Amino acid sequence: MNSAVWSRITAAGTHAARWPWWLQVGGLYLAARLVSACIFMAAALQQGVNPWFPAKPDYWNFINIWDARWYGEALRNGYPTELPTDDAGNVQENAWAFYPLFPLLGRSLTGLTGIAPAASLTVIAMLSGLAASLVVYCLFRLKATHRTAHWGALFFSTFPVAAVLQVPYAESLNLLLLAGALLLVVRRRYLGAIPVVLLMCLSRPTGVPFAAMAGVLFLYHVYPHLVARFRARPAGDVQHGQPGHYGTPAGERHSPRELWSLAGLAAASGVGALLWPAIAWVLTGDLQAYTKTETVWRGHDLVPFKPWFDTGVQLFGPVLGLLAPFVFVAVFVLLMMSRPVAALGTELRLWCVCYVGYLLVFLHPQTSTFRMLLPLFPLALSAALVSRSRAYRGTVIIMFFLLQIVWVVWLWAWAQLPGGGDYPP
């Protein structure tokens, strides 16, 4: 019996392998979302008293909590022109912390179809996640074979926090735009990436690290040209000289036109990163409207790097806690230097470095940090490159789904803490 079942599974896998790549990747993404939906429904049956609905809610109510309520607020009522404050004048939680592209698309879909705002946001999140998985595969395919890129896309679809891709959060939309922008950058279509990046900057706060990546990438590629100019070498020596002698390898060298396009992308990314805070300033009259709102959830003003040391001390004590951020950075550097990560190429590795640098500077580490690691999705391809063993890759998928259960039950489901409130997902 077991042999017959295994034979059928093998035959089904062989048949599916002949499908078009987009059907393979999309089908597995939808299957992963179905598993995540089952995890959500099982957790909902255990959900007790909470701030939003009666105990044991249905699936649709259960996924429309936490930040989904804020996106729904932005969809229905827009953004306040006056920041709400308490009696002491402190800014209170409000919609300005949530970027506008996702609720704007939801409002458009609701206006066109008449469906409920929560349903509109859920549909957009699901379709964006599906599209993101296809773009991620195309990006990975530039660096690996079909099979490995396929496994990398499957890792992306089953990440421990991938369940968030089917709830009314902006993560799936942001990842679609981020993956599209990175795909264009790797293909050196820098000017074509500009509108994608500007939209990305209005979906979630990923504009700053992207601008940093584009800027550093420009300096990396312009270096051989500057060296040649100062050494009075002919331009031909720069473009066709020995690999690596003046910086970038010959295959990565850029023409002047490509350099100007990359510089334009870096500049546009910088503008895009400031766009939403500037809109908040214009509409509220408060220059710090966005940052004041964003830091409400922290409970204190933004001080670069300091929250990592505070959290380290809280978790590991006064000595080890101060060392913990340095250990984290050292481990990350070693990871970036490993062979599977090096196979990602300059652009994707640089994106990972800039994004982690951004988190170190601006992030207040907490339970939401797990969700904020999703933009490091290029590392999914590195994980697939570690080994071609089906046993290894299958074990990773199983581990990811088990960790999804942990994430949903621990963080998505509401369980009031002794001091009130609960850890956010």
Side-chain angles (χ1 to χ4, degrees):
M1 182 65 179
N2 291 337
S3 177
V5 171
W6 180 250
S7 297
R8 290 184 179 183
I9 293 175
T10 303
T14 302
H15 179 70
R18 293 194 291 267
W19 294 352
W21 69 266
W22 55 268
L23 191 56
Q24 295 180 44
V25 175
L28 287 175
Y29 177 83
L30 294 177
R33 297 287 65 76
L34 180 61
V35 174
S36 297
C38 292
I39 295 172
F40 274 123
M41 288 186 285
L45 293 176
Q46 309 302 317
Q47 176 65 67
V49 177
N50 60 86
W52 300 288
F53 38 66
K56 297 184 178 181
D58 60 29
Y59 171 80
W60 301 107
N61 276 321
F62 191 57
I63 66 171
N64 276 277
I65 59 177
W66 298 103
D67 289 357
R69 293 300 177 107
W70 282 110
Y71 284 115
E73 169 68 16
L75 185 158
R76 290 185 297 269
N77 302 316
Y79 295 86
T81 55
E82 183 175 345
L83 296 178
T85 58
D86 59 16
D87 294 337
N90 300 311
V91 174
Q92 300 298 288
E93 296 177 356
N94 66 87
W96 279 111
F98 302 90
Y99 279 57
L101 183 60
F102 185 52
L104 180 61
L105 291 175
R107 180 182 297 180
S108 300
L109 184 58
T110 293
L112 289 172
T113 64
I115 63 177
S120 292
L121 294 176
T122 304
V123 168
I124 292 170
M126 279 293 297
L127 293 178
S128 297
L130 175 60
S133 70
L134 300 178
V135 177
V136 165
Y137 167 83
C138 292
L139 177 61
F140 289 174
R141 189 66 181 85
L142 297 178
K143 304 293 182 179
T145 64
H146 162 72
R147 182 179 295 274
T148 301
H150 195 185
W151 276 101
L154 183 56
F155 286 175
F156 164 81
S157 301
T158 57
F159 276 153
V161 294
V164 79
L165 300 178
Q166 67 197 75
V167 305
Y169 271 46
E171 266 74 6
S172 55
L173 178 61
N174 177 254
L175 288 175
L176 169 60
L177 295 168
L178 173 60
L182 290 173
L183 177 63
L184 292 168
V185 167
V186 173
R187 289 179 172 175
R188 300 190 184 184
R189 298 179 182 177
Y190 302 123
L191 295 181
I194 289 177
V196 180
V197 171
L198 292 178
L199 289 175
M200 181 195 74
C201 291
L202 292 175
S203 63
R204 278 192 56 79
T206 47
V208 170
F210 197 94
M213 180 207 70
V216 174
L217 191 63
F218 170 75
L219 295 176
Y220 173 76
H221 287 302
V222 82
Y223 173 75
H225 294 260
L226 294 177
V227 169
R229 181 179 294 272
F230 280 112
R231 296 189 180 187
R233 296 178 64 91
D237 288 347
V238 180
Q239 296 177 5
H240 308 291
Q242 293 300 316
H245 187 62
Y246 292 117
T248 57
E252 295 187 17
R253 299 222 173 106
H254 281 45
S255 67
R257 181 176 180 178
E258 288 174 329
L259 287 175
W260 280 112
S261 299
L262 181 53
L265 174 61
S269 302
V271 171
L274 299 175
L275 192 56
W276 184 235
I279 292 173
W281 172 24
V282 170
L283 295 183
T284 64
D286 189 332
L287 175 62
Q288 297 180 305
Y290 171 73
T291 54
K292 285 180 179 179
T293 300
E294 185 66 41
T295 54
V296 168
W297 278 266
R298 300 170 183 250
H300 54 76
D301 293 336
L302 172 63
V303 180
F305 301 107
K306 183 175 181 293
W308 288 90
F309 292 98
D310 292 341
T311 302
V313 169
Q314 181 181 356
L315 293 176
F316 306 112
V319 178
L320 294 179
L322 293 178
L323 295 175
F326 295 104
V327 173
F328 170 77
V329 171
V331 171
F332 180 74
V333 169
L334 292 176
L335 176 65
M336 289 296 102
M337 295 172 62
S338 66
R339 180 174 297 180
V341 176
L344 296 179
T346 303
E347 296 87 354
L348 298 184
R349 275 207 298 172
L350 185 56
W351 161 251
C352 293
V353 169
C354 289
Y355 186 71
V356 169
Y358 166 79
L359 295 182
L360 289 172
V361 175
F362 295 106
L363 179 67
H364 175 70
Q366 52 170 313
T367 48
S368 295
T369 303
F370 300 116
R371 173 170 53 88
M372 294 179 187
L373 296 178
L374 271 174
L376 294 173
F377 72 86
L379 297 179
L381 180 59
S382 298
L385 288 168
V386 168
S387 173
R388 295 181 181 180
S389 166
R390 290 185 179 181
Y392 158 75
R393 290 172 171 175
T395 300
V396 171
I397 298 296
I398 294 172
M399 179 186 68
F400 279 176
F401 277 128
L402 291 175
L403 290 175
Q404 271 193 45
I405 296 174
V406 173
W407 185 80
V408 171
V409 173
W410 175 36
L411 295 177
W412 189 266
W414 171 273
Q416 183 168 317
L417 298 172
D422 190 18
Y423 295 120

